[in-house]
Structures are given as structure tokens and as C-alpha cells.
Amino acid sequence: MADVGATAAREAAAQIWRNRARAELEAAARFTRLAGELVACDAVAPVVTMAREAAEDERRHAERCGALVRELGGKPFELGAVPAPRGVTPGGLGPRERLLYEIVAMSCVTETLSAALLGELVARATDPLVRETMQSILRDEIDHARLGWAHLAAEHERGAADVVGPSLPAMLAGTISEELFSSWAEHPAQEALSGLGALDRAERRRIFSETMSLVVFPGLRRFGVDTGRGERWLAERLP
């Protein structure tokens, strides 16, 4: 039975890493688009450079995720081009404001959360290649989060209005899967999966809540964002 459970865990992990490979390619395309928009909006040069480097990082991550899929016995992932998903932004914003909103969502929120999740997963990894892959990605995700904070700081210095606070609940909801709030049963091999790169729902909830409360909200407030709506939303969803 142990062998059956281990096989099931590896099969499930292979699918998870396959989905991540595609997500990394989408992120690469999105950072490429954002780099162009940053130039068009006269963003500070270091942020533009960071966005271009992030696009290259994400393509490399996709390759590493694909290699991990093969190692876990999954179907090989084709590293073809994928379209860049458009960021969902509130109506009534100008190009510069839409860009600020999207970069905060992409980097300050999503990449900061990703780094926190990966840090926990690295500590739990039982497979050497899984651990090595996540450590490599983690180093880059921290830089991708810094991109967002650097852009937010620069725009705040320029006197940008708070375009994030009023729609912060929608931004947070768009960062995570609705599954996080469900009561569905966990995968039968969840314990083994935690060593292959997939935390259980309770741990993901905890990390999401702690990262928002201890890192993201204080960081946003530092640069003039009213986080009240976001904090209330979080308290309601994860009391």
C-alpha cells in the first residue's frame, strides 16, 4: 500500500508541476508585456530592467518545472509560447494607474505570497530535485516581489493616488484559488505530496493570512495604500 500511495503522490505532483510550468510561461509573457508598458509610462529604469529580467527568470522556471514533471513520471510539457494574460483592473483608471495596480497585484501580492509558500515547501521537501528546483525559483521570486515594491515606492514618490485600496479585496481574491476556502477532501496522498511541492489547504490558508497581515498590508500602508477593505475581507474569509 505504501508503494501505491507513493505512486499516486508522484502522479499528482507531476500534474501540479505541469500546471506550474504553464503558469510560469504565462508569467514570463506578462512580465514581458509589463516591461514594455513600464517604458511607455516612463517608469524608473531599474524597475524596467527588473521586469525584463523577471521575464527571463520565468521562462527558466518553466523549463525547470518541465524537467521536474518528467522526473516525476508525468507527460512531458511542451514549452511553447503562451499569451500573456491581461491583468484585471478596476474601471476608470488611466494607463499609468492601471499599470501600477497590475504590478502591485502581480509582484507585491502574488510574488510575495509565492516566495512565502516556496519557503515553507523547501523546508518540507523530501525529493532532492524538488528541493533544488524550488530553491532556485524562490531566489527569483523574492526579486520579482521587490520589483513591485520598487515601482510602488517610485510612484508614491511621484505623488500617485491610491488606486489599490478601494479594490484590494478583488485583488486578493484574484491572487488565490477559490478552492482555498472550500471544505473539499484533501488528496489521499496529501502527506507525501507535501514533500513533493504541494501544501495542504490548511497550511496554504495560514501562509496566505500571515503573509498578507505581516508583510503585504504593512508594505502597502507604507506607500499610502488604505488596506482597511483588504483587512476586513481577509478577516471575513479566514476568521
Side-chain angles (χ1 to χ4, degrees):
M1 291 295 292
D3 289 343
V4 173
T7 299
R10 291 181 73 83
E11 289 175 351
Q15 185 58 48
I16 289 169
W17 283 102
R18 183 179 177 81
N19 293 339
R20 286 176 180 165
R22 179 172 181 82
E24 298 287 0
L25 287 178
E26 290 177 348
R30 194 170 179 184
F31 274 123
T32 297
R33 171 175 60 78
L34 290 173
E37 293 178 10
L38 284 163
V39 171
C41 286
D42 193 31
V44 295
V47 172
V48 175
T49 299
M50 293 170 77
R52 290 169 175 161
E53 291 174 346
E56 292 300 318
D57 293 339
E58 301 289 14
R59 280 187 278 272
R60 186 174 63 255
H61 296 174
E63 293 175 358
R64 299 211 61 160
C65 291
L68 197 50
V69 171
R70 293 190 295 274
E71 175 68 18
L72 292 167
K75 180 181 178 182
F77 182 82
E78 298 296 330
L79 293 173
V82 299
R86 298 298 304 185
V88 179
T89 58
L93 300 182
R96 192 182 196 100
E97 294 170 321
R98 287 198 303 270
L99 178 61
L100 175 59
Y101 184 95
E102 185 174 358
I103 287 183
V104 168
M106 178 77 171
S107 292
C108 298
V109 177
T110 302
E111 297 286 355
T112 299
L113 176 61
S114 178
L117 290 166
L118 281 167
E120 184 69 27
L121 284 166
V122 167
R124 293 171 180 239
T126 56
D127 181 283
L129 184 57
V130 170
R131 182 184 297 107
E132 180 187 347
T133 299
M134 292 191 298
Q135 285 175 327
S136 174
I137 294 174
L138 173 58
R139 287 190 292 269
D140 293 332
E141 300 293 74
I142 292 171
D143 285 338
H144 301 170
R146 287 172 177 156
L147 181 167
W149 295 113
H151 183 61
L152 178 59
E155 292 299 284
H156 178 64
E157 183 69 20
R158 288 173 165 176
D162 176 10
V163 299
V164 172
S167 300
L168 189 52
M171 181 185 288
L172 297 176
T175 300
I176 54 177
S177 168
E178 188 63 26
E179 175 270 341
L180 191 70
F181 305 114
S182 75
S183 58
W184 303 340
E186 296 281 5
H187 190 281
Q190 182 57 57
E191 184 175 352
L193 267 174
S194 67
L196 297 174
L199 293 170
D200 64 42
R201 192 179 299 114
E203 280 299 283
R204 285 183 286 125
R205 284 174 176 164
R206 176 184 66 79
I207 293 170
F208 176 68
S209 180
E210 290 180 355
T211 303
M212 295 305 110
S213 298
L214 302 178
V215 181
V216 173
F217 291 158
L220 292 176
R221 287 195 297 270
R222 179 184 176 190
F223 299 115
V225 174
D226 181 354
T227 60
R229 291 180 179 85
E231 292 176 66
R232 289 191 292 274
W233 177 90
L234 183 64
E236 291 169 0
R237 299 310 300 268
L238 295 176

